[in-house]
Amino acid sequence: MRADPARRPRFNLPSPVGAFLILAGAFILLKLIQPVIPGSVILLYMAFVIAGILIHITLDDGRLKRFGDFFIGAEGEGAATRAQRWGLLLVVPLALGWWAYEATRPSYAPPVEIFQRHPTAGEEILGRIKVPEWVATPAKWSPQAIAEGKALYRGNCAVCHGDNLDGEGPAAEGFRYPIRPANFRDSGTIAQLTLPYVYWRLTVGGIQNQFSSAMPAWVAPADAANATTLHTYDLTPDEAWKVIIYLYKTTGFEPRKE
Amino acid sequence: MKRDRALLAQGKKPEWDKRVGDKPREKICLALSLVALFLLLGAGTAGAQGPAPSAEYRVFLGMDSRLAVWIVSQLHLMFAAFVLAVPMFALVIELIGWRSKERRFDLLAHEMARLLPPAYSITAILGATLAFLLFTLYPRFMGYLADIFGPTMVIYPLFFLGETFCLYFYYYSWHRLQGNLKWAHLLLGLALNIFGTAVMFIANTWATFMMTPNGVDAAGNLISLNNAIWNLAWMPLNIHRLIANITLGALLAGAYAAYRFLTVERAEERAFYDWMGYTGNLIALFTMLFLPFAGYYFGFELFSFSATYGVTLMGGVLSWLFIIQAIVVAVLFIGAAYYAWLGLLRIPGSEPQRRWTPAFNTILIVGFMIWATPHTMAASIEESTGGFHPVLGALGVMAPKMIAVTLILVVLYASYLLYRRAGRVITVSWKDVGNAIQWGVLALTALAIIALGVYGYFAPSEVRITTSILQIVVLIAGILFTFILDVFLLRGSQAVGVVRWGTMPRRGQYVLIVLSYVIVWLMGLMGYARSAARLNWHVFGILEDTSPGAGLPSLGEVAVIVTIITLIFFLLLAISFAISAFMGRSLVSEVESQTEEEHQ
């Protein structure tokens, strides 16, 4: 036997309280994810959640009216409704105040950095990098060149980029900010790039060029203008190309065509 | 027409006979147009002759040359987009009115065309100013372009002349070419569209040659003009601009309607402008469905021309600009969808359809959260995980974003399907089977899109590009099939009640106004992105920009300048609309006469 819907006790959560709970729930969920999500992304996500709530409330005249009426109050309303109203009127300004305080509190942290994953290199630079014939076509990559590339990688690169090419080398944690050593197995790194670009990145590095990266310039030979600087290491062009084809061969990616 | 006959019987001039040039403002408008035309023709001819450059760069009145050209060219493009787009849908609406014999369509088309003459004059004045600035400030570069594109620069003013004549005849002959002569008016509208599109295509050859030069040797000497015109980016930009122009024009017309809705007092006028705003939003929403793909096609060709474009746009100096773009596009789509859902309120019996909006809203919001997720996150030193996040970073690449945006389009299309059947009762005998097939196919489309996206995520980049194209093919196939089915399903359906035009909540009108602002700002931003992608080149890889302003400004500075351009645009557009509002007979009498006819 079905119960009479009219007699069934109904729990009506006022829409402003529902909206607040959704907001708070989304915020807590985002805060719980590990590793932590940067505040800039949480702000972006919360803006979308607020937009979604506003759309939902204003899509119906009745819903919009009930939302506004909740804050005005009505005769004969229960104590629970009153408590929810005053609770919201207390919690929301306090939360906003805390947010404002956090945003303006003096801090010694460096400013949030907008990092470019792949710094722009002009055509006049990349256009001058000639890819050797034995590198240009993956089918021509010799096992010997790849083996030599592997040895060079292990000796020079793996300390940061890891033996597995996943950016998890022993020294990687030391270079966490603003960017850690690249994970070559991620589809957003070498898989997206052309051979001249990867060669340029390897031989130009990051520190001297203000790319906010700890990547040294693996530039040869000793008579190069910047070969004597702290972060310059010797790697002949052929050696650099061998390291590059080792990266592609091992990860299974192919260089992006020009 | 009856009204006109009655006036003639009384020995008075009919209404249509009083219009052209009777009002001082119209004369001003015509005079402005002629001045602009001569200015532009003069500037165009000067360019075609190819000035002997005495200097690489000049400075005029101490102004920042790049900034001046940036602002004027962007304003010119925005007005040009508007005057190109409005005749397109004005013609289609007029055609619908002619075929269906419903006068309200003719009124709407005329109301849209009414916005054209003053806006066209401003377009031409801005175009002439741009040509003057370019030839004065960048003589070497413009000399080079004139050497390559000389013949097209001679043809350009001729097409422009054709567009000018057609546009003014199209608007001012509206009432004379009615009845048996309507076909002539439609032909005039068609010619206007052909000339307008040709003008844009010609100008696009110059702009795209600067990005993907073709038909020249390594030193930049012309080998084939045909190849220079048919450079890689030309057709993608033509398509992208054509669609985006319609979106822009429709949203601006919608904003005009919203403003009139909010300010008119008569219920008949409010109903009319409500309908005009709805039509504008519908056209914008429909064309927006294709814009992301047109954008991908354009980007695809740029990448294939030079990988430097790929890095600059997606990973390098302009990568954060595209995060802003993603957010602004989200505002645009969400706003347009919101207006469409709000429109259900004016349809009696639309309650079953309105029940879907919370689910659609959720998909839209979650979809855009994914779409706007950056791959490399802006983080403080405490939050930093080293550039990308192991969980959210996976959402920041192409495959999940393609799933998100394509599913959003499925939801928007489903909203349209629901809108079509709101307040109607389907009467065909096979309605249950039809409905099941229709929504089943739509669900399968969504599933296929997700499956292709997940496969593409783990595949190499070349395969991923193929799967993303397949996603679009699946979407289009799903839309085509279900829409054809829908036409048959709704055949003979009965309306529960009449749509209550004019009862749209006022907040819906404000959304239309905000949307027009958003699209103009977005257009400004993307205009900058297209131009900035060349970095320090006038013509990519061939003619380097060695002027003091060759570097790129910071993103913050770009946002400020784009905002200033947007504000100037709206100021000029407001003046243009104000002149439009004074032109011709008040719409009240048009609507009244229509109502009289309907009652009789």
Side-chain angles (χ1 to χ4, degrees):
Chain A
M1 192 177 150
R2 292 176 66 186
D4 182 0
R7 289 187 182 177
R8 199 185 297 161
R10 286 185 66 194
F11 178 68
N12 271 336
L13 195 65
S15 56
V17 179
F20 175 77
L21 289 179
I22 290 171
L23 266 180
F27 183 74
I28 292 167
L29 192 71
L30 289 169
K31 277 285 185 188
L32 282 178
I33 292 176
Q34 287 297 324
V36 292
I37 300 176
S40 60
V41 181
I42 291 185
L43 190 68
L44 178 72
Y45 283 171
M46 291 309 291
F48 276 114
V49 176
I50 291 171
I53 290 171
L54 282 177
I55 287 171
H56 179 71
I57 291 165
T58 57
L59 268 179
D60 184 278
D61 286 336
R63 212 181 287 146
L64 181 61
K65 189 173 181 312
R66 283 195 298 280
F67 191 90
D69 287 350
F70 171 80
F71 293 100
I72 298 165
E75 277 184 33
E77 66 180 8
T81 309
R82 259 202 309 277
Q84 288 174 55
R85 177 165 63 246
W86 286 110
L88 265 194
L89 289 174
L90 197 67
V91 170
V92 172
L94 275 178
L96 287 174
W98 177 254
W99 183 50
Y101 168 72
E102 278 289 309
T104 51
R105 183 167 60 95
S107 157
Y108 299 104
V112 171
E113 198 151 337
I114 293 184
F115 185 80
Q116 288 171 25
R117 176 165 284 268
H118 306 304
T120 297
E123 188 66 10
E124 65 279 15
I125 297 170
L126 296 184
R128 278 208 295 265
I129 297 174
K130 298 291 170 226
V131 182
E133 204 182 325
W134 57 274
V135 178
T137 317
K140 291 184 181 172
W141 294 348
S142 71
Q144 190 194 344
I146 292 166
E148 284 179 39
K150 182 178 180 179
L152 287 164
Y153 177 86
R154 293 246 166 167
N156 297 297
C157 319
V159 63
C160 293
H161 291 284
D163 284 343
N164 294 324
L165 286 68
D166 54 3
E168 296 292 340
E173 283 304 307
F175 302 112
R176 203 165 58 96
Y177 187 77
I179 188 151
R180 59 183 301 136
N183 168 9
F184 299 122
R185 294 189 182 277
D186 180 77
S187 60
T189 59
I190 55 170
Q192 304 274 7
L193 302 169
T194 59
L195 285 169
Y197 187 90
V198 179
Y199 181 84
W200 171 74
R201 200 79 182 83
L202 174 65
T203 53
V204 162
I207 291 174
Q208 299 95 322
N209 298 286
Q210 300 173 335
F211 296 152
S212 302
S213 147
M215 175 80 174
W218 295 90
V219 59
D223 59 350
N226 55 351
T228 54
T229 60
L230 181 65
H231 297 288
T232 303
Y233 298 81
D234 284 350
L235 214 58
T236 66
D238 271 6
E239 286 173 337
W241 286 119
K242 283 170 186 168
V243 171
I244 291 169
I245 62 173
Y246 166 71
L247 296 181
Y248 279 108
K249 188 71 186 173
T250 312
T251 53
F253 294 130
E254 288 213 349
R256 190 167 194 142
K257 291 180 183 66
E258 283 182 70
Chain B
M1 299 303 281
K2 285 181 183 177
R3 196 187 173 94
D4 292 342
R5 279 199 295 275
L7 284 168
L8 281 171
Q10 290 166 23
K12 294 176 185 170
K13 269 186 171 183
E15 287 294 326
W16 50 261
D17 208 18
K18 291 179 185 172
R19 266 171 222 114
V20 185
D22 273 7
K23 293 183 173 61
R25 284 186 190 89
E26 289 186 1
K27 284 176 179 160
I28 293 169
C29 186
L30 279 168
L32 263 177
S33 317
L34 286 173
V35 170
L37 179 65
F38 285 118
L39 268 172
L40 195 79
L41 286 177
T45 314
Q49 285 163 356
S54 55
E56 284 208 15
Y57 302 103
R58 289 199 203 99
V59 177
F60 184 68
L61 295 176
M63 68 171 90
D64 180 340
S65 303
R66 184 191 57 181
L67 189 62
V69 168
W70 179 0
I71 292 174
V72 174
S73 63
Q74 191 60 59
L75 285 170
H76 172 60
L77 270 173
M78 285 165 176
F79 269 99
F82 180 71
V83 297
L84 182 71
V86 169
M88 282 184 193
F89 44 76
L91 179 67
V92 173
I93 293 168
E94 189 189 2
L95 187 68
I96 294 170
W98 185 50
R99 300 301 303 166
S100 66
K101 302 199 189 325
E102 275 194 64
R103 187 144 178 255
R104 63 178 184 145
F105 284 105
D106 201 61
L107 283 174
L108 180 63
H110 182 231
E111 188 64 11
M112 286 179 166
R114 182 209 283 257
L115 306 175
L116 284 173
Y120 192 73
S121 305
I122 295 173
T123 312
I125 290 168
L126 286 166
T129 312
L130 174 64
F132 166 75
L133 283 175
L134 282 172
F135 282 108
T136 308
L137 304 176
Y138 295 90
R140 180 175 68 113
F141 160 62
M142 288 309 288
Y144 175 69
L145 264 198
D147 280 346
I148 303 288
F149 287 106
T152 64
M153 288 178 173
V154 174
I155 294 169
Y156 181 79
L158 298 177
F159 277 95
F160 180 71
L161 204 62
E163 186 187 7
T164 308
F165 286 143
C166 287
L167 185 136
Y168 288 105
F169 276 125
Y170 181 67
Y171 176 69
Y172 287 109
S173 69
W174 200 284
H175 295 281
R176 281 181 191 272
L177 299 180
Q178 287 284 358
N180 291 337
L181 291 172
K182 191 65 176 170
W183 62 269
H185 193 259
L186 287 162
L187 273 183
L188 209 52
L190 183 67
L192 164 62
N193 277 293
I194 291 170
F195 279 123
T197 308
V199 164
M200 186 187 77
F201 277 23
I202 294 172
N204 283 353
T205 61
W206 311 330
T208 51
F209 175 81
M210 290 164 68
M211 302 191 81
T212 57
N214 193 28
V216 290
D217 61 20
N221 301 309
L222 182 67
I223 298 169
S224 159
L225 177 62
N226 193 36
N227 289 348
I229 292 169
W230 279 90
N231 62 75
L232 263 186
W234 184 47
M235 207 35 82
L237 187 70
N238 286 341
I239 294 169
H240 194 284
R241 278 191 170 166
L242 211 56
I243 301 172
N245 287 354
I246 300 173
T247 312
L248 174 95
L251 284 179
L252 289 178
Y256 169 78
Y259 170 73
R260 298 298 301 265
F261 179 101
L262 292 168
T263 50
V264 295
E265 289 176 358
R266 302 175 67 94
E268 295 90 341
E269 281 190 283
R270 201 175 301 121
F272 179 82
Y273 286 116
D274 190 10
W275 183 58
M276 183 177 177
Y278 159 80
T279 310
N281 188 61
L282 190 70
I283 294 169
L285 204 54
F286 178 71
T287 50
M288 271 199 284
L289 293 179
F290 301 96
L291 265 184
F293 307 127
Y296 275 123
Y297 174 40
F298 184 41
F300 184 76
E301 293 293 14
L302 287 183
F303 290 13
S304 65
F305 180 80
S306 168
T308 303
Y309 277 126
V311 171
T312 306
L313 291 166
M314 290 296 137
V317 69
L318 296 176
S319 56
W320 281 92
L321 183 145
F322 278 88
I323 297 295
I324 297 177
Q325 184 229 19
I327 297 167
V328 178
V329 168
V331 173
L332 209 55
F333 271 100
I334 292 171
Y338 174 70
Y339 177 85
W341 295 335
L342 208 56
L344 288 171
L345 289 179
R346 47 167 125 76
I347 306 176
S350 64
E351 289 77 12
Q353 283 74 33
R354 277 153 59 188
R355 277 204 295 270
W356 284 87
T357 52
F360 284 179
N361 184 22
T362 309
I363 297 173
L364 218 61
I365 294 294
V366 173
F368 276 118
M369 282 162 83
I370 294 170
W371 207 46
T373 302
H375 189 214
T376 305
M377 316 225 166
S380 70
I381 198 159
E382 293 91 355
E383 299 164 335
S384 176
T385 49
F388 71 99
H389 194 279
V391 181
L392 295 185
L395 300 178
V397 289
M398 186 184 178
K401 285 175 190 248
M402 272 300 291
I403 295 178
V405 77
T406 323
L407 284 186
I408 285 165
L409 298 183
V410 171
V411 164
L412 289 176
Y413 169 67
S415 301
Y416 174 64
L417 283 185
L418 287 181
Y419 196 94
R420 274 171 59 82
R421 62 189 58 195
R424 304 192 77 85
V425 177
I426 301 174
T427 51
V428 289
S429 58
W430 48 281
K431 64 178 178 183
D432 291 336
V433 181
N435 268 326
I437 293 174
Q438 192 180 31
W439 294 102
V441 167
L442 215 54
L444 275 178
T445 305
L447 280 175
I449 286 165
I450 294 169
L452 281 166
V454 171
Y455 174 73
Y457 179 77
F458 295 102
S461 57
E462 280 84 3
V463 179
R464 189 157 48 248
I465 289 168
T466 311
T467 55
S468 66
I469 293 167
L470 280 175
Q471 282 174 309
I472 299 162
V473 171
V474 167
L475 174 75
I476 292 171
I479 287 179
L480 276 179
F481 178 81
T482 49
F483 188 76
I484 292 167
L485 192 65
D486 204 62
V487 170
F488 287 105
L489 255 176
L490 290 185
R491 188 166 281 182
S493 64
Q494 289 170 353
V496 176
V498 185
V499 180
R500 296 181 300 233
W501 294 110
T503 59
M504 180 78 158
R506 291 171 75 87
R507 56 184 178 275
Q509 309 305 324
Y510 291 114
V511 169
L512 282 184
I513 292 169
V514 168
L515 285 180
S516 69
Y517 181 88
V518 171
I519 187 125
V520 170
W521 198 89
L522 177 64
M523 202 164 153
L525 187 77
M526 298 325 288
Y528 164 76
R530 192 191 62 74
S531 191
R534 294 194 315 272
L535 300 171
N536 54 320
W537 297 93
H538 289 308
V539 179
F540 192 75
I542 287 178
L543 189 65
E544 195 165 0
D545 183 354
T546 54
S547 68
L552 297 186
S554 71
L555 199 50
E557 194 184 333
V558 171
V560 170
I561 293 169
V562 169
T563 305
I564 290 171
I565 291 171
T566 306
L567 292 175
I568 298 173
F569 173 75
F570 274 103
L571 181 71
L572 292 175
L573 195 73
I575 295 169
S576 158
F577 280 5
I579 297 171
S580 296
F582 289 126
M583 286 163 60
R585 184 169 47 169
S586 157
L587 199 70
V588 182
S589 49
E590 298 269 13
V591 175
E592 274 179 346
S593 58
Q594 182 205 12
T595 318
E596 278 170 22
E597 282 175 21
E598 278 173 3
H599 281 295
Q600 286 162 15

